[in-house]
């Protein structure tokens, strides 16, 4: 005789199910509340340790560069630093950039600061002398725990920040603030719609906050928060055709060495 045809067995199974639900319902509610609480905490916390400045400019004629960190928190924090050549998957253990940070790990007190020295350890002859080279400075912030909290169930959140480091050769053809004079665009005619090709003709990285096209009293945002390497170009497809450069304007906001966007109109040049 199967269980399906045995009403006594079915009744016992139903009672067991109801008993289990009654016993474990408070536990399930507890874990659900804990999960929701942790999610709320995650969305409300922010990094406390910040670097002064939005980027690092490392002059090629210098061996060292100092940067400063500030702890905006009322509790101490531990910070670890490393540099890479573009692979964000790398860690402090396998970082590949030709720079060394001193100290690599430090503890900063509440509302205190820390000076870090970056030292170039690579071969200058291996890097271009006619344009910038790009590296990245990474720093992780680990909140320090109090001894009284070691036995408590607390969520430890580690913040990782990634900042651009520009290795800048001396004697470049132009100054960094002149980059807006050495950018241009042209119209690419395609079968379906036209495209705008923007080119960075300068020896500096063009960090674009926003690129917008104004035509027939309408503004179209083409891109935001992108970077174009020296001598490189990027294309933006449009939902228009037969564009006339005389009836349109391309504006580009480029971040300067201080992280401030300088907006300028880009020159049309079919030969760029």
């Amino acid at each position: 005789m199967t269980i399906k045809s045995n009403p006594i067995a079915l009744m016992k199974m139903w009672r067991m199910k109801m008993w289990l639900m009654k016993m474990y319902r408070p536990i399930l509610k507890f874990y659900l509340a804990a999960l929701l609480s942790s999610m709320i905490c995650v969305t409300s916390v922010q990094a406390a340790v910040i670097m002064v400045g939005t980027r690092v400019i490392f002059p090629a004629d210098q061996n060292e560069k100092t940067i400063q960190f500030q702890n905006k928190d009322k509790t101490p924090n531990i910070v670890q630093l490393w540099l890479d050549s573009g692979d964000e998957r790398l860690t402090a253990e396998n970082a590949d950039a030709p720079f060394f940070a001193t100290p690599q790990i430090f503890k900063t007190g509440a509302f205190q600061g820390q000076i870090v020295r970056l030292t170039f350890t690579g071969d200058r002859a291996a890097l271009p002398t006619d344009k910038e080279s790009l590296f990245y400075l990474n720093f992780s912030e680990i909140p320090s725990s109090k001894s009284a909290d070691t036995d408590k169930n607390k969520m430890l959140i580690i913040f990782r920040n990634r900042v651009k480091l520009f290795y800048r050769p001396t004697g470049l053809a132009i100054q960094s603030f002149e980059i807006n004079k050495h950018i241009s665009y042209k119209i690419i005619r395609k079968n379906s719609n036209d495209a705008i090709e923007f080119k960075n003709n300068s020896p500096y990285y063009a960090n674009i906050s926003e690129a917008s096209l104004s035509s027939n009293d309408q503004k179209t945002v083409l891109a935001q928060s992108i970077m174009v390497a020296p001598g490189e170009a990027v294309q933006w497809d449009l939902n228009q055709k037969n564009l006339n450069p005389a009836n349109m304007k391309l504006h580009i906001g480029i971040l300067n060495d201080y992280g401030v966007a300088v907006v300028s109109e880009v020159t049309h040049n079919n030969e760029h």
Side-chain angles (χ1 to χ4, degrees):
M1 182 179 294
T2 62
I3 295 178
K4 184 176 180 180
S5 60
N6 189 338
I8 298 177
L10 288 174
M11 180 61 69
K12 289 183 178 180
M13 291 179 62
W14 181 81
R15 289 178 177 175
M16 178 63 69
K17 178 181 178 182
M18 297 301 295
W19 180 82
L20 289 173
M21 290 179 64
K22 183 178 179 180
M23 289 292 296
Y24 286 97
R25 186 181 290 114
I27 299 176
L28 292 174
K29 287 184 178 181
F30 171 79
Y31 280 109
L32 179 60
L35 176 61
L36 293 175
S37 176
S38 64
M39 292 174 63
I40 294 173
C41 292
V42 170
T43 57
S44 63
V45 295
Q46 294 181 350
V49 179
I50 62 173
M51 189 191 79
V52 178
T54 60
R55 64 210 60 237
V56 179
I57 309 297
F58 199 107
D61 60 347
Q62 297 182 13
N63 294 322
E64 297 179 350
K65 171 80 175 183
T66 58
I67 55 178
Q68 185 174 358
F69 291 87
Q70 293 180 348
N71 182 13
K72 300 293 186 179
D73 204 352
K74 59 183 179 181
T75 58
N77 286 280
I78 299 173
V79 179
Q80 182 180 29
L81 298 96
W82 70 96
L83 296 99
D84 66 73
S85 300
D87 188 350
E88 62 181 355
R89 297 170 300 178
L90 299 181
T91 63
E93 287 71 28
N94 55 8
D96 61 349
F99 297 90
F100 186 80
T102 307
Q104 286 185 304
I105 301 178
F106 61 86
K107 180 178 180 180
T108 175
F111 304 110
Q112 298 296 314
Q114 174 70 41
I115 298 294
V116 174
R117 183 172 70 252
L118 302 179
T119 304
F120 182 76
T121 59
D123 180 11
R124 286 186 170 83
L127 295 175
T129 58
D130 59 346
K131 61 181 180 180
E132 286 184 324
S133 296
L134 175 64
F135 301 94
Y136 289 89
L137 169 67
N138 304 271
F139 59 97
S140 292
E141 170 194 334
I142 307 172
S144 60
S145 59
K146 300 178 181 178
S147 57
D149 296 333
T150 54
D151 294 331
K152 297 180 180 179
N153 293 325
K154 306 190 75 173
M155 179 178 290
L156 182 63
I157 301 176
I158 300 177
F159 292 96
R160 176 179 173 179
N161 295 275
R162 190 169 166 85
V163 179
K164 298 182 183 71
L165 183 149
F166 299 100
Y167 179 84
R168 182 171 295 174
T170 57
L172 293 178
I174 63 172
Q175 299 295 320
S176 61
F177 58 83
E178 298 177 305
I179 184 174
N180 62 325
K181 300 178 182 178
H182 297 268
I183 55 178
S184 60
Y185 81 92
K186 68 178 181 180
I187 299 175
I188 305 295
R189 307 295 183 183
K190 296 185 176 182
N191 294 332
S192 55
N193 295 311
D194 293 342
I196 294 291
E197 182 179 275
F198 168 85
K199 187 174 183 181
N200 175 17
N201 300 293
S202 80
Y204 302 91
Y205 277 84
N207 293 272
I208 300 174
S209 59
E210 181 178 283
S212 62
L213 180 68
S214 299
S215 178
N216 299 324
D217 297 328
Q218 292 185 346
K219 177 183 175 181
T220 303
V221 177
L222 303 177
Q224 290 180 318
S225 302
I226 68 169
M227 183 170 59
V228 182
E232 298 294 326
V234 62
Q235 286 190 13
W236 299 309
D237 292 328
L238 304 172
N239 294 323
Q240 304 178 50
K241 195 170 179 60
N242 300 321
L243 290 173
N244 184 357
N247 300 328
M248 53 183 282
K249 292 182 179 180
L250 177 64
H251 290 92
I252 299 288
I254 298 182
L255 302 179
N256 60 18
D257 288 349
Y258 304 99
V260 179
V262 179
V263 181
S264 59
E265 183 178 342
V266 184
T267 304
H268 175 259
N269 183 1
N270 276 329
E271 305 296 330
H272 77 185

